[in-house]
């Protein structure tokens, strides 16, 4: 962040560019300058601008950005302004060349400390555009800033997620538990995540009017399970479920036993069983005697020559 009038710079380093980290950097910048500017110009970043629109149309802003700007009482200007874009982007090159170049750091805190040690050197220089010492001009800049509010505004990411059958909710490749007695499988819950905490809310208020389901510390990394064992109270334990190891063949219940003719019918339907059934053999003359008919014969008539 750069103060436009004096070019007084601020820089902090982070490992994330999500919504919460973005506005955490704002709070650090306000503390560095000692106040809040009346207007902040953005380059239409997604954490501030919901979508791009045609020139002249109203820019739709992110709800959390609107709430943050309202809490700190500054105006958001998210317009394409090439005349002012270089004032911020130039600072990136200056910090890279004078703070980071040729040095190794083991943590984010070391980088922030290196920038804080370099700021007095930067403020002692004469700026090439306005021709004054940056520190002298920054004094007038800081006086014009608005005071900080008594309480900070904590911005959180908000998402809707489904509850699993095990009362776990997936967010950012991690799982967080919710009370089993307050939710049902596939129910939608709202997640509000900050840099250090994840809270889960019901989308439908309870009888008392509260919607908070659970609050957990935010997991570091991926694949973690943040579970409160008390949340699983109410889930089926499986104590009454019949199980088998596969060594013993389960016996059918009495009402499932086959009838007297079911065995023979099953044997006929089974090829292997039908092949083992012995069938009696008798000549066809036996059937002729039983029916009183003669056996069918064919006499070929001879044709006399004419």
């Amino acid at each position: 962040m750069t103060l436009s009038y004096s070019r007084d710079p601020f820089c902090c380093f982070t490992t994330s560019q999500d919504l919460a980290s973005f506005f955490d950097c704002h709070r650090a910048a306000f503390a560095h300058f000692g106040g809040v500017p009346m207007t902040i110009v953005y380059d239409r970043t997604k954490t501030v601008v919901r979508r791009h629109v045609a020139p002249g149309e109203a820019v739709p802003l992110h709800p959390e950005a609107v709430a943050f700007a309202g809490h700190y009482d500054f105006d958001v200007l998210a317009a394409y302004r090439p005349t002012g874009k270089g004032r911020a982007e130039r600072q990136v090159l200056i910090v890279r060349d004078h703070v980071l170049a040729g040095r190794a750091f083991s943590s984010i805190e070391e980088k922030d400390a290196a920038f804080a040690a370099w700021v007095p050197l930067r403020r002692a220089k004469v700026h090439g555009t306005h021709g004054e010492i940056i520190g002298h001009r920054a004094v007038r800049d800081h006086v014009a800033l608005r005071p900080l509010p008594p309480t900070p505004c904590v911005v959180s990411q908000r998402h809707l997620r489904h509850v699993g059958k095990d009362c776990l909710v997936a967010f950012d490749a991690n799982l967080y538990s919710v009370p089993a007695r307050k939710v049902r499988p596939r129910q939608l819950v709202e997640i509000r995540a900050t840099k250090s905490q994840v809270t889960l809310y019901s989308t439908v208020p309870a009888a008392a009017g509260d919607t908070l389901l659970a609050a957990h510390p935010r997991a570091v990394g991926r694949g973690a399970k943040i579970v409160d064992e008390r949340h699983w109270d109410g889930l089926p334990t499986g104590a009454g479920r019949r199980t088998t190891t596969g060594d013993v063949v389960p016996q059918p219940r009495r009402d499932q036993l086959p009838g007297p003719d079911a065995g023979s019918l099953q044997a006929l339907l089974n090829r292997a069983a039908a092949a083992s059934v012995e069938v009696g053999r008798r000549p066809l003359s036996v059937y002729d005697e039983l029916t009183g008919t003669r056996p069918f014969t064919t006499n070929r008539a001879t044709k006399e020559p004419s």
Side-chain angles (χ1 to χ4, degrees):
M1 184 179 289
T2 305
L3 296 183
S4 181
Y5 176 73
S6 62
R7 308 300 200 275
D8 191 21
F10 168 76
C11 176
C12 66
F13 298 90
T14 179
T15 58
S16 176
Q17 297 184 20
D18 59 11
L19 191 70
S21 300
F22 181 72
F23 286 105
D24 281 345
C25 296
H26 279 66
R27 290 195 295 270
F30 298 157
H32 172 79
F33 293 132
V36 182
M38 291 186 295
T39 303
I40 299 182
V41 182
Y42 296 94
D43 190 22
R44 298 203 175 190
T45 175
K46 290 183 178 180
T47 48
V48 178
V49 178
R50 296 297 296 269
R51 68 179 186 276
H52 294 285
V53 296
E57 296 184 6
V59 179
L61 301 179
H62 196 288
E64 293 294 334
V66 174
F68 187 86
H71 182 84
Y72 286 95
D73 194 19
F74 67 86
D75 296 329
V76 176
L77 185 57
Y80 180 69
R81 298 184 61 184
T83 56
K85 187 176 180 180
R87 300 181 186 182
E89 293 188 349
R90 175 59 181 158
Q91 298 298 329
V92 177
L93 302 178
I94 293 175
V95 171
R96 186 181 64 184
D97 295 340
H98 293 83
V99 179
L100 302 180
R103 303 176 64 180
F105 302 92
S106 60
S107 65
I108 296 294
E109 290 74 18
E110 286 188 10
K111 291 185 178 182
D112 291 336
F115 173 79
W118 171 78
V119 168
L121 302 178
R122 178 61 181 173
R123 289 175 174 171
K125 292 183 175 296
V126 177
H127 197 274
T129 301
H130 53 64
E132 297 183 31
I133 297 177
I134 297 176
H136 294 172
R137 198 174 175 103
V139 173
R140 301 194 296 271
D141 229 351
H142 295 172
V143 172
L145 297 176
R146 294 175 176 174
L148 291 169
T151 57
C153 177
V154 179
V155 175
S156 59
Q157 304 178 60
R158 301 193 180 195
H159 304 275
L160 292 176
R161 293 290 188 272
H162 289 282
V163 179
K165 293 182 179 180
D166 50 1
C167 293
L168 296 180
V169 181
F171 171 70
D172 201 16
N174 299 300
L175 296 174
Y176 300 88
S177 65
V178 290
R181 297 188 181 274
K182 295 184 178 181
V183 296
R184 65 182 186 277
R186 299 297 298 170
Q187 177 181 336
L188 272 178
V189 297
E190 181 185 8
I191 294 179
R192 302 178 188 177
T194 64
K195 291 185 65 176
S196 59
Q197 190 180 40
V198 173
T199 53
L200 300 101
Y201 294 85
S202 174
T203 55
V204 179
D210 57 334
T211 58
L212 178 63
L213 295 174
H216 300 282
R218 187 162 184 173
V220 178
R222 301 166 67 87
K225 284 186 178 181
I226 311 300
V227 177
D228 187 345
E229 297 292 341
R230 296 171 297 178
H231 291 170
W232 281 345
D233 183 21
L235 284 178
T237 60
R241 181 179 300 172
R242 299 182 60 186
T243 59
T244 178
T245 60
D247 299 333
V248 180
V249 179
Q251 299 295 328
R253 298 195 305 268
R254 182 169 297 179
D255 57 348
Q256 293 180 344
L257 292 175
D261 297 332
S264 58
L265 177 61
Q266 184 64 30
L268 292 176
L269 294 177
N270 191 345
R271 287 188 176 182
S276 61
V277 175
E278 186 175 354
V279 180
R281 298 176 180 273
R282 57 181 65 90
L284 296 178
S285 59
V286 176
Y287 298 99
D288 295 336
E289 293 178 359
L290 293 176
T291 58
T293 59
R294 295 181 179 180
F296 179 76
T297 57
T298 303
N299 295 326
R300 183 175 297 177
T302 57
K303 186 178 181 180
E304 295 180 359
S306 55

